[in-house]
Amino acid sequence: MSGEAELELPSVEFLATYMVMIAFAGLISSLNMHVTSPEMRKQAMKDLGVKLGKIGKTLKEIERKTFHLCGLLVPLIYALLLEYGLTRRDCAKICWSITASGWTLDILRLNIKFISDNFPLNPILREKERKQLSGACFFSLGCTLAVSFFPPAVAMTSILFLVLGDMSAALIGRSFGGDVVVVKLGREGKKSVEGSMAMFFVCCVLGFTVFSQIHLREYPVVIGAAVATLTELYEPFGLNDNLTIPLLSSLALTWGFARIHNCERENPVIGPLLWYRNH
């Protein structure tokens, strides 16, 4: 419409470049973890100020979360497929196929002893995941829903919130949780203020950089980061946060960007999700 400003999301080229840089940084971190000796890791923890009693648990959490960096492949491959010429719908179909396969395999793991005994991800499964669906299933479903229903920039950012934001909450929480603020948070009172603040900060940095060219980006980014952090903290509806973080943070980002979009229009869009129909 003439006279009305249109809010442009980051281009596919920008997203592809950004995701390549993030994935490369994740790869370097993962390789550094694997080539460093246990003694050097322990010394690094001491140098960073981690208390002796927390070093063992922190190193185990780092090993688990290092594998979780593989989740960066999702926004990376998504961005590259879009740049190659595939549509969002094409990518969503691929995601649904992978998700269906993953859920089928995990259900078989829970019901067939041979598969359960030889499951390749057994070493990194949490104890509670050995008798129930793994977090990977919910991660796949959460990413698939984000890709299916939200613009690429929003979906990719919400997945980064999950992979890097959740990782920062876990690592900082394990390393320094309770050192400064003794109050415990979360549904079971086991999570720390330090971990939640780390996640909020990391999510904000990710959002500010992905949407760096958008005017008033601070408003939707802070809302999205806050929703992601609170979702990780309290696990609303009792659902796995691998599912709810990308979904709810995508909704929050969508609502926030729709609000600033309407601020620059003479005729506001009715309904916060309708602005994204053509994006």
Side-chain angles (χ1 to χ4, degrees):
M1 297 181 184
S2 59
E4 293 188 351
E6 292 294 330
L7 194 63
E8 292 293 332
L9 288 173
S11 67
V12 171
E13 293 76 14
F14 172 84
L15 290 173
T17 302
Y18 185 92
M19 296 306 158
V20 167
M21 293 173 62
I22 290 289
F24 181 74
L27 175 62
I28 295 299
S29 299
S30 181
L31 290 175
N32 183 62
M33 175 66 186
H34 285 88
V35 301
T36 305
S37 66
E39 292 75 18
M40 292 180 65
R41 296 175 200 166
K42 290 180 180 179
Q43 186 58 49
M45 293 296 100
K46 292 178 182 178
D47 294 341
L48 290 171
V50 179
K51 293 182 178 179
L52 291 177
K54 295 183 176 181
I55 290 179
K57 290 183 178 180
T58 299
L59 290 175
K60 288 182 179 179
E61 191 67 22
I62 290 175
E63 290 178 4
R64 289 190 74 258
K65 293 302 182 181
T66 299
F67 175 79
H68 286 195
L69 287 174
C70 293
L72 294 175
L73 290 173
V74 176
L76 171 63
I77 294 173
Y78 184 22
L80 294 178
L81 288 176
L82 290 174
E83 188 173 33
Y84 182 73
L86 272 69
T87 66
R88 189 180 74 180
R89 180 172 295 182
D90 294 331
C91 294
K93 290 178 180 178
I94 294 172
C95 287
W96 280 112
S97 298
I98 295 172
T99 297
S101 301
W103 276 70
T104 300
L105 179 60
D106 215 34
I107 290 172
L108 291 175
R109 173 184 68 85
L110 295 175
N111 292 279
I112 300 177
K113 188 176 186 303
F114 176 79
I115 296 179
S116 177
D117 292 341
N118 296 278
F119 195 64
L121 300 182
N122 277 338
I124 63 169
L125 288 178
R126 293 184 185 272
E127 190 61 35
K128 64 180 182 180
E129 291 178 324
R130 298 186 183 278
K131 300 298 181 181
Q132 63 185 42
L133 290 170
S134 68
C137 285
F138 295 99
F139 173 82
S140 178
L141 181 58
C143 293
T144 298
L145 290 171
V147 169
S148 299
F149 296 109
F150 299 96
V154 171
M156 292 180 201
T157 302
S158 70
I159 296 170
L160 291 180
F161 283 2
L162 171 58
V163 176
L164 299 179
D166 182 69
M167 181 179 72
S168 63
L171 296 183
I172 297 300
R174 286 286 188 186
S175 302
F176 305 106
D179 290 357
V180 178
V181 182
V182 297
V183 176
K184 290 295 183 179
L185 306 173
R187 288 168 61 93
E188 300 177 356
K190 295 182 178 179
K191 298 187 178 182
S192 67
V193 174
E194 293 90 340
S196 295
M197 292 303 296
M199 179 172 181
F200 178 73
F201 175 77
V202 169
C203 290
C204 282
V205 171
L206 291 168
F208 290 152
T209 50
V210 171
F211 301 105
S212 58
Q213 298 178 346
I214 295 181
H215 182 54
L216 297 177
R217 64 189 179 279
E218 296 84 0
Y219 182 73
V221 167
V222 169
I223 292 175
V227 168
T229 302
L230 291 173
T231 301
E232 188 277 336
L233 191 59
Y234 291 104
E235 297 180 341
F237 316 116
L239 296 173
N240 190 292
D241 60 9
N242 288 299
L243 168 62
T244 52
I245 288 176
L247 187 57
L248 295 181
S249 58
S250 288
L251 283 169
L253 287 168
T254 298
W255 182 84
F257 280 117
R259 292 288 293 174
I260 64 173
H261 178 62
N262 279 342
C263 288
E264 300 180 354
R265 292 175 61 93
E266 294 178 3
N267 300 309
V269 175
I270 300 175
L273 300 181
L274 297 181
W275 171 66
Y276 283 108
R277 286 179 301 180
N278 297 319
H279 289 266

